[in-house]
Amino acid sequence: MQFSLWLALLGATVVISFTPGAGAINTMSNSLNAGFGRSIWGILGQQAALVIHVAIVALGLGLLVSNSPVLFAAIKYAGAAYLIYLGLRQFLAKPTGNAEVEAARRDEPAFSMFRRGMWVNLLNPKAIVFFLAFMPGFIRLDQPQLTQYLVLIATVLAVDILVMWFFFAAAARSFQRFTRTVRGLTMMNRAFGVLFIAVGLMLAFL
């Protein structure tokens, strides 16, 4: 991949990563609930989903999804339902003020965070359509395909991890003062619950 083309890819990826969405909300929620350091597990799950999306498009399966209204709708509504489920669960969560309960909440298994992050990004058919439109501009058919895809994936993952962890997860730390009381934690749970539900509804209807 030519350096000028890679710079264009880098710029586009930075803009995309800074665009708020379900992944950013999930990252901020993890940072508040499990801590800044452990929020990386959710971020890595989101990256795994991006790799799968790129593979789907590269193998030509993305066209199948985008050209099948039934399949596209099924994935879309499943993704919307999952986000709404996460939102309702967080909205209805009731902090107890019990130190042992809250400590257990912060010790959520890494795989659980990874899995949730993966599903948040994976159940979004619009990501497949986006990569269908995004990737052809950076892949040259007259050059080795594998190397170009590896460069693209490495760039997308590196930028997204940095933005998610050092911007969105770090930004959530400024709200941690609200998590020191039951009332503050309840407010934060409801705020992030509403955000998850809103993104789910947008995925379903926009």
Side-chain angles (χ1 to χ4, degrees):
M1 182 178 291
Q2 295 178 344
F3 185 67
S4 58
L5 187 61
W6 179 80
L7 285 178
L9 170 64
L10 179 64
T13 303
V14 169
V15 172
I16 294 162
S17 293
F18 272 108
T19 303
I25 296 169
N26 185 60
T27 297
M28 295 180 75
S29 176
N30 284 338
S31 182
L32 278 171
N33 292 328
F36 171 76
R38 298 191 72 244
S39 67
I40 188 64
W41 294 109
I43 295 171
L44 292 177
Q46 292 168 198
Q47 306 316 305
L50 291 182
V51 172
I52 294 172
H53 280 308
V54 171
I56 287 173
V57 173
L59 294 172
L61 299 177
L63 283 174
L64 176 63
V65 174
S66 63
N67 291 331
S68 172
V70 174
L71 183 56
F72 183 89
I75 299 174
K76 180 177 76 169
Y77 289 123
Y82 184 63
L83 291 175
I84 292 171
Y85 159 75
L86 291 178
L88 288 173
R89 189 177 70 171
Q90 186 147 2
F91 186 90
L92 297 173
K94 295 181 179 180
T96 63
N98 184 299
E100 292 182 1
V101 173
E102 298 306 322
R105 187 166 174 263
R106 293 180 65 86
D107 290 335
E108 179 184 2
F111 180 71
S112 174
M113 299 171 67
F114 179 93
R115 181 180 56 200
R116 185 171 63 252
M118 184 180 71
W119 284 115
V120 163
N121 267 5
L122 192 59
L123 290 174
N124 184 359
K126 293 185 179 181
I128 296 176
V129 175
F130 166 77
F131 277 115
L132 274 173
F134 178 76
M135 285 170 48
F138 300 100
I139 301 297
R140 295 290 178 262
L141 298 179
D142 59 341
Q143 298 178 11
Q145 301 287 295
L146 179 59
T147 303
Q148 295 181 80
Y149 277 114
L150 290 176
V151 171
L152 186 146
I153 290 174
T155 302
V156 169
L157 297 192
V159 170
D160 203 55
I161 288 174
L162 290 173
V163 170
M164 287 294 153
W165 206 19
F166 292 104
F167 182 77
F168 289 110
R173 298 174 74 179
S174 63
F175 298 112
Q176 284 184 339
R177 63 184 183 275
F178 295 109
T179 66
R180 294 169 187 161
T181 65
V182 172
R183 184 185 177 204
L185 194 54
T186 299
M187 290 174 58
M188 294 306 301
N189 281 339
R190 290 180 177 175
F192 278 96
V194 168
L195 287 174
F196 270 120
I197 293 170
V199 173
L201 292 174
M202 289 174 61
L203 176 61
F205 298 111
L206 295 184

